Amino acid sequence: MLVVVLLTATVVAPPGAPAALAPVPGAWEQWRRVEGIVDVAGVRSDGRLVGAARGRLVLVSPAGKVSAFAPAYSVPPDPESYVTVSPGVAVAGAGCRFPRDEVLALDLTGTPPGITRVTAGGTVSRLATVSGVSTLSGITLDTVGRFGHRVLVVGPGEPGRTHVFAVDCRGKVAPVATLDAQLEGGIAVAPRGFGGFGGDLVAPSELSGNLYAVSPAGELQTVAASGVPSGGDIGVESAGFVPRGAGLAAYVADRGTPRSAEPHPGTDHILRLTKPALARAGVRAGDLLVATEGSATLVRVRCGHTCTAAAVATGPPAAHAEGHLVVAATG
């Protein structure tokens, strides 16, 4: 299928430069301070988000109450141990399932890396070891089904390349593709109806500024150019799709990185973009939202016969967005 990619964002800045955006209607708020926050995921059946912070897990209620979760889970705080939450899916051909509210987390404590599973009640076990890469840089669960409802992880290969793996609920690891693109961060599976990419793995590339789709057959396609500044610790990083529902808000982790150079040291907050702000930005169900690592500039991507991308919100200038972007019900 030939997909024509159009760009509607009106952003002009040299690669690697801080964002210099035309005025946009939305602005992230520093919603809740969480020391060491590196990722948010969810939503659990009780409406709470799961956060990864300082090597531990926390639960965050729609009203913003933060509580400890799974005390047996502990990883070094510096690696980006991203997490994802299962809505409850049966894995094709495996005779098992990822139960509702189970957390799946990157385990970067050694080489080779792996995946940890944490039950809704907080029991911790190792799901799988992923050989062939020295680390992993993204995780999500296929909730659409084209990858068989397996966990998808990505990890760097040779310079500029990325390995993609699918892992079932018994811990069986299968390679999907080795791609000529550097992918990482808040990867997500596109819902059906997202143009020709429904059910594909969608991943950002902060170095190129592009958003890519990976099919179950391992085919790589460009979804859209983000149109915002690109580069290490600057470009597109955190991705998530907008579900149907009322009272939705967007959330992303703003990781405090005091050893990082200015201008994006982060603030150790969960950032939130409220429903009215999303509405003013023209965001609707089925859209892909992507935040840049530097300043959390929000890009909306909409795909039908063609795909368009537009910058729709700004973040705190110091923001250092990491991990996934979650759109969920508010309190």
Side-chain angles (χ1 to χ4, degrees), residues 86 88-100 102 104 117 127 141-142 147-151 167-173:
S86 171
V89 291
V91 179
C96 57
R97 61 189 294 108
F98 291 109
R100 183 75 164 107
E102 183 170 75
L104 300 149
R117 66 193 311 171
L127 172 65
L141 182 63
D142 169 29
F147 290 88
H149 290 134
R150 294 177 291 175
V151 176
V167 184
D168 72 16
C169 43
R170 297 192 184 281
K172 181 180 179 181
V173 181

Side-chain angles (χ1 to χ4, degrees), residues 179 197 200-203 211-215 218-223:
L179 307 170
F197 304 113
D200 285 356
L201 175 66
V202 174
L211 302 163
Y212 293 100
V214 184
S215 74
E219 180 184 7
L220 179 72
Q221 294 187 73
T222 301
V223 175

